[in-house]
């Protein structure tokens, strides 16, 4: 039996991408159910799952509802202990959970100014001091993982884990807005851009057209990068 995963539009819903990767990357059987995030029907679509009100929301084979991404990650890790959601090393596992929690609650300037979009790369995006502060924080906290836990990489803790799923939309923001980062962080972004699961998600999103395009900026655009 499989889970039901309720998500939003693939070109724009960063939290949906995180939830989807928690199933796709760890080989957990699931059925995706698209909600009307930009069609205005999401509240109605999620009504049977109350009190859940955001995507991603999952429903277990037993019919139990899981709202919020951290709860989803921890529940799947508990129910599928051999899937590899968290690093085996206890110190690494603590830090992976720390990174997930900080992503869930932090980086608000970056997330607000650079809404995830997987259509193209903007040219000339002006970085505010607050966005730069978030990028500096990313360099610090992800750099700690690179230095102490990633080994040969390319992922934060060697093998792909839940923390990588949570930072995939960050990689998309860096790529989509042409944000300047260190070579080390750029390599991590490129690992996401080259990941077959990420590419599958983006390809599905491109099948849908929008008029107007959500979050569009009046800036020159380049094709979506294969690497940065």
């Amino acid at each position: 039996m499989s889970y039901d995963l309720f998500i939003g539009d693939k070109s724009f819903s960063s939290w949906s991408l995180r939830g989807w990767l928690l199933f796709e990357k760890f080989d957990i059987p699931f059925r995706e159910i698209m909600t009307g995030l930009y069609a205005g029907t999401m509240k109605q679509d999620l009504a049977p799952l109350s009190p859940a009100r955001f995507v991603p929301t999952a429903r277990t084979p037993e019919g139990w509802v899981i709202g919020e991404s951290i709860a989803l990650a921890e529940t799947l890790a508990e129910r599928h202990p051999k899937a590899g959601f968290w690093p085996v090393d206890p110190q690494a596992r603590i830090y992976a959970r720390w990174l997930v929690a900080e992503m869930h609650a932090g980086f608000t300037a970056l997330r607000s100014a650079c809404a995830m979009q997987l259509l193209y790369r903007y040219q000339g995006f002006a970085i505010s001091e607050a966005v730069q502060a978030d990028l500096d924080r990313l360099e610090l906290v992800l750099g700690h993982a690179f230095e102490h836990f990633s080994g040969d990489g390319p992922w934060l803790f060697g093998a792909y884990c839940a923390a990588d799923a949570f930072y995939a939309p960050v990689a998309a923001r860096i790529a989509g807005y042409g944000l300047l980062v260190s070579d080390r962080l750029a390599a991590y972004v490129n690992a996401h851009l080259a990941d077959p699961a990420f590419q599958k998600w983006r390809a599905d999103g491109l099948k849908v057209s929008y008029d107007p395009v959500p979050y569009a900026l009046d800036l020159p655009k380049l094709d979506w990068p294969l690497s940065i």
Side-chain angles (χ1 to χ4, degrees), residues 7-9 33-46 55:
I7 58 174
D9 302 62
I33 302 172
M34 188 67 64
T35 66
L37 179 57
Y38 295 99
T41 64
M42 188 174 74
K43 182 178 180 180
Q44 174 184 335
D45 296 337
L46 292 179
V55 288

Side-chain angles (χ1 to χ4, degrees), residues 27-28 46 49 55 65 80 90 100 102 109 115 117 126 130 172 179 208 215:
D27 296 321
I28 308 300
L46 292 179
L49 306 176
V55 288
V65 176
H80 304 277
V100 165
E102 183 156 348
Q117 58 80 27
L179 305 181
V208 182
Y215 312 118

Side-chain angles (χ1 to χ4, degrees), residues 3 18-28 72-88 93 96-97 100 157 159-166:
Y3 296 76
R18 292 180 176 99
W20 185 87
L21 287 170
L22 291 175
F23 286 92
E24 182 74 13
K25 291 293 293 184
F26 298 98
D27 296 321
I28 308 300
L72 179 58
E74 291 289 7
T75 301
L76 291 177
E78 181 181 70
R79 291 168 64 95
H80 304 277
K82 296 182 180 180
F85 282 93
W86 300 113
V88 174
R93 191 161 61 249
R97 287 189 164 115
V100 165
F157 297 89
Y160 193 101
C161 74
D164 295 299
F166 272 73

Side-chain angles (χ1 to χ4, degrees), residues 167-215:
Y167 282 83
V170 172
R173 287 175 162 97
I174 292 170
Y177 292 82
L179 305 181
L180 296 179
V181 297
S182 68
D183 290 345
R184 180 170 60 181
L185 185 51
Y188 182 62
V189 171
N190 290 339
H192 283 285
L193 298 183
D195 180 41
F198 183 94
Q199 292 181 347
K200 176 183 177 181
W201 170 275
R202 180 173 179 268
D204 285 348
L206 294 178
K207 297 174 184 177
V208 182
S209 59
Y210 297 86
D211 185 17
V213 175
Y215 312 118

